[in-house]
Amino acid sequence: MTTSNHNHQKCIRTALCQAEALCKARAQRLTPIREQVLRSVWSSHKAIGAYSIIDALAKQSSKPPAPPTVYRALDFLLDNGLIHRVNSLNAFIGCNAPGHQHNSQLLICRRCSNTTELVSEALNSQANKAAKQENFVLEQTCVELTGLCETCSREIAHDE
Amino acid sequence: MTTSNHNHQKCIRTALCQAEALCKARAQRLTPIREQVLRSVWSSHKAIGAYSIIDALAKQSSKPPAPPTVYRALDFLLDNGLIHRVNSLNAFIGCNAPGHQHNSQLLICRRCSNTTELVSEALNSQANKAAKQENFVLEQTCVELTGLCETCSREIAHDE
DNA sequence: CAAATAATGCAATATTATAACATATCTTCT
DNA sequence: AGAAGATATGTTATAATATTGCATTATTTG
C-alpha cells in the first residue's frame, strides 16, 4: 500500500468518481472546495491533518483557505462517509468504500504512516458482543491498530 | 458505573495503592505532582482533559501548574500503564488493571461521558487476526466504542 | 560530598479546532 | 425572470490541546 507500488492516480480517480456519484444520488453538492479537500485527502494513503490540507490548497491558489473553510469541507465529507477521521493522529483518510455503511478498522504504520482500511465482520461482531455484555448501546466504533506494515517490517528486518 | 451508585472513594484508593506498589516495584518515582494528576484522572469515571486537570490542580494550590508539568506527569502515567489516553476525546482515563499488559477496549457513553474499560480476549484475537491477514505487525490497539451506557439508554427511553 | 541523572519551573509557541457574523451562491416557488 | 429561503463560503478572532527549549531544583549514584 505504499504510494509507489501502485497506480495511485487510479485511486484518486475512483474516489472522486464515487464521491461525485454518491453526492448526486443524495442531492448533496460536491463543491469545488469540497472536491479539492477530498483530493488532498486522497493525495496519498497517509492520513493528512487539516492544516496540511490548508498548505496543499495554498499551493493551488493565491491565498490559503482559512481553517473553517477546510474544516467545513471535512465535516461534509465525514457526514457523507467519504472520509474517515483517524482519532489517534488527529488526521483524515479517504474512505475505501463510501456509500456502504460500515464499521471499519484502520491499520496504521508508525514508520511510513500508510493507513489501510479494512472491514472485519468478525471483529465487529466481537465489538457488538462486548457492548451487549455491558448493556451498552453501541453507536460508533473506532478501531485503530498501529504497528508496522508488511513493507516496513521487512525493511527494518533488513537493516539489522 | 455512574459515580453516584458506587463508593468512588474506594476506586480512588485502590488506584493510588496499585500505582504506589507498581512504581515501587519498578523503581519509578510517584512524585507529588504525578500522584495529584493521577488523583485528578481518577476523580470520576469520565475521561478528563489535560487542561481540566490543570484547573483541578489550580484549586489545590496557589498557582496553576504549567501545561508541561501536567503533560509530563501524564506521560509518566501513560508509560507506566496507570492511565489510558482516550484518542476520540483527547482525554485521559484511569487504568483498571495497571501492571498487567493488556489490550483493552473502552465503552464511552456520549450522554454521561462515563467510560468503562474492558478486556475482550475474543475481540483482541480478531484484531490480531485482521492484522495478520495483512501481514501487519500489530503493536498497539485503540478500540473506542461510543454509544449509550445502560443507565443513560434507560433514562432516554423514559423521556420519550 | 561531587557528579550524574531525573524531575520540575517557566516562557514561549506550535498545532488542532471552533465561534460568530458577514457575504455570496444556489434552489425553489411564483 | 425575480424574490425568498436555504446553503455554502469568506473573514476575523479565539478556544483548546500540546510541545520545545532552557533554567533550576531534587534525587540517586559512586
Side-chain angles (χ1 to χ4, degrees):
Chain A
M1 187 56 86
T2 60
T3 307
S4 51
N5 71 3
H6 74 291
N7 181 351
H8 191 60
Q9 290 308 314
K10 194 173 169 187
C11 295
I12 298 175
R13 272 200 309 275
T14 304
L16 286 168
C17 259
Q18 291 184 310
E20 212 169 317
L22 266 172
C23 288
K24 195 164 191 175
R26 294 173 184 161
Q28 297 284 337
R29 293 162 55 196
L30 188 63
T31 62
I33 287 179
R34 290 167 177 174
E35 187 180 322
Q36 285 170 60
V37 169
L38 183 57
R39 233 179 242 284
S40 290
V41 169
W42 272 102
S43 65
S44 78
H45 290 282
K46 306 182 199 317
I48 186 172
Y51 280 76
S52 300
I53 295 174
I54 290 177
D55 293 344
L57 297 199
K59 286 173 191 160
Q60 296 167 34
S61 79
S62 50
K63 63 165 77 170
T69 301
V70 166
Y71 277 101
R72 282 187 292 227
L74 288 169
D75 285 343
F76 171 87
L77 297 171
L78 285 169
D79 287 347
N80 284 280
L82 298 168
I83 62 174
H84 297 294
R85 187 170 202 287
V86 185
N87 287 319
S88 50
L89 300 175
N90 293 334
F92 303 87
I93 188 98
C95 173
N96 257 339
H100 309 75
Q101 181 52 30
H102 59 237
N103 290 322
S104 63
Q105 293 84 41
L106 297 178
L107 296 179
I108 305 164
C109 179
R110 67 162 158 84
R111 186 160 175 271
C112 71
S113 300
N114 278 324
T115 296
T116 303
E117 180 179 1
L118 51 84
V119 176
S120 158
E121 290 304 347
L123 198 157
N124 285 330
S125 148
Q126 289 303 329
N128 281 316
K129 211 164 167 181
K132 196 159 201 174
Q133 230 157 35
E134 305 278 330
N135 293 314
F136 187 90
V137 180
L138 182 53
E139 292 175 343
Q140 208 171 29
T141 70
C142 162
V143 180
E144 300 177 6
L145 309 179
T146 303
L148 289 172
C149 72
E150 183 174 10
T151 307
C152 284
S153 63
R154 269 212 284 265
E155 289 181 3
I156 282 182
H158 264 258
D159 286 357
E160 277 153 20
Chain B
M1 188 56 86
T2 59
T3 307
S4 50
N5 70 4
H6 75 291
N7 180 351
H8 191 60
Q9 291 307 315
K10 193 173 169 188
C11 295
I12 297 176
R13 272 200 308 275
T14 304
L16 287 169
C17 260
Q18 290 184 312
E20 212 169 316
L22 267 171
C23 287
K24 195 163 191 178
R26 294 174 184 159
Q28 297 284 339
R29 292 162 55 195
L30 189 63
T31 61
I33 288 179
R34 290 168 177 171
E35 187 180 323
Q36 285 171 61
V37 169
L38 182 58
R39 233 179 242 284
S40 289
V41 169
W42 272 101
S43 65
S44 79
H45 291 282
K46 306 181 199 316
I48 187 173
Y51 280 76
S52 300
I53 294 173
I54 290 177
D55 293 345
L57 297 200
K59 285 171 191 160
Q60 295 169 35
S61 80
S62 50
K63 63 166 76 170
T69 301
V70 166
Y71 277 101
R72 281 187 291 227
L74 288 169
D75 285 343
F76 172 87
L77 298 171
L78 286 169
D79 287 347
N80 284 279
L82 297 168
I83 62 174
H84 296 294
R85 186 168 203 286
V86 186
N87 288 319
S88 51
L89 301 174
N90 292 333
F92 304 86
I93 187 100
C95 173
N96 257 339
H100 309 75
Q101 180 53 31
H102 59 237
N103 291 321
S104 64
Q105 293 84 42
L106 297 179
L107 297 179
I108 305 165
C109 179
R110 68 161 157 85
R111 187 159 174 271
C112 69
S113 300
N114 279 324
T115 295
T116 303
E117 179 178 2
L118 51 83
V119 176
S120 158
E121 290 303 348
L123 198 158
N124 285 329
S125 147
Q126 288 303 330
N128 281 317
K129 210 164 166 180
K132 196 159 198 175
Q133 229 158 35
E134 305 279 330
N135 293 313
F136 186 90
V137 180
L138 182 53
E139 293 175 342
Q140 206 171 30
T141 70
C142 161
V143 180
E144 299 177 7
L145 309 178
T146 303
L148 289 171
C149 71
E150 183 174 11
T151 308
C152 284
S153 64
R154 267 212 286 264
E155 288 181 4
I156 283 183
H158 265 258
D159 286 356
E160 275 152 21

